[in-house]
Structures are given as structure tokens and as C-alpha cells.
Amino acid sequence: MYLLLGGQEWIVILIAIVIILLWGPSKLPSLARGMGEAIREFRKAASGIEEEPRRAEKKEEVDQKIIELAKSLGISTEGKTKEQILDEVNKRLAELKKTN
């Protein structure tokens, strides 16, 4: 039964045993997590994908939805910051809850 394993399988098994002996079984999850993060970062850098433009687009979409919500509630948004608009939306929603 042991003869069914080829040369490459024995090498993988030997490497796994050496890793377990060096770092111990308690460190294996953190090593695997670190390896996964390294691979993810490498792939992201290799593909040239940047996270910042996506975040900026999502932020603009959220801001637009906040403005649309405020207008649907009859709140003026001219010259107000996002925080001010959100405060007024929260107040208006609280008023609507009280009346219902």
C-alpha cells in the first residue's frame, strides 16, 4: 500500500512533516492565513486592480442615495453637509414613526 505513492507525494508528505515539527500544529492556521494573504496581495498587484477608485465610486453612490432619500422625505439638501442631511433624515424618520 505504501508503494502506491509516487516520488512527488512523498516529497509533499515529508515537507508537511517538517513544517509540523518546526512550527507545531498550533501555528499552522496562522501560517496558512499569512500565506493566503500574501497570495491575495500578489494577485491584486499583478492584475493592477486598485481598491481606491472602487471605494470612491461606492462613496459617491451612497452620497447620491442619501440625497435622493432626503428629497423623497421633503428635506432640502442645498448647502448642507452629508452629516447635516443624515441628521435631518433621522429626525424626519423619527417623526414619521411617532405619527404611525
Side-chain angles (χ1 to χ4, degrees):
M1 182 162 175
Y2 294 112
L3 299 176
L4 295 176
L5 296 177
Q8 292 177 344
E9 289 86 3
W10 282 109
I11 292 173
V12 171
I13 292 171
L14 182 65
I15 290 172
I17 291 172
V18 169
I19 289 173
I20 290 173
L21 290 174
L22 287 177
W23 286 289
S26 63
K27 285 279 193 174
L28 289 181
S30 62
L31 288 172
R33 190 173 18 261
M35 188 72 121
E37 289 175 5
I39 290 171
R40 191 176 317 112
E41 287 295 322
F42 175 77
R43 287 182 180 164
K44 191 177 0 175
S47 64
I49 295 174
E50 295 179 15
E51 291 292 322
E52 290 303 320
R54 287 184 183 174
R55 289 182 186 164
E57 289 173 8
K58 285 187 177 186
K59 184 177 184 265
E60 290 174 7
E61 289 176 20
V62 169
D63 291 346
Q64 187 63 32
K65 288 181 181 182
I66 291 171
I67 291 171
E68 290 173 10
L69 175 63
K71 287 182 180 179
S72 70
L73 292 171
I75 299 171
S76 173
T77 59
E78 295 299 317
K80 296 179 183 174
T81 65
K82 183 176 73 170
E83 289 78 19
Q84 292 171 332
I85 296 170
L86 285 173
D87 286 340
E88 289 189 32
V89 166
N90 286 332
K91 288 176 187 175
R92 183 66 52 95
L93 290 175
E95 290 172 3
L96 291 173
K97 282 184 180 180
K98 287 180 183 178
T99 59
N100 290 335

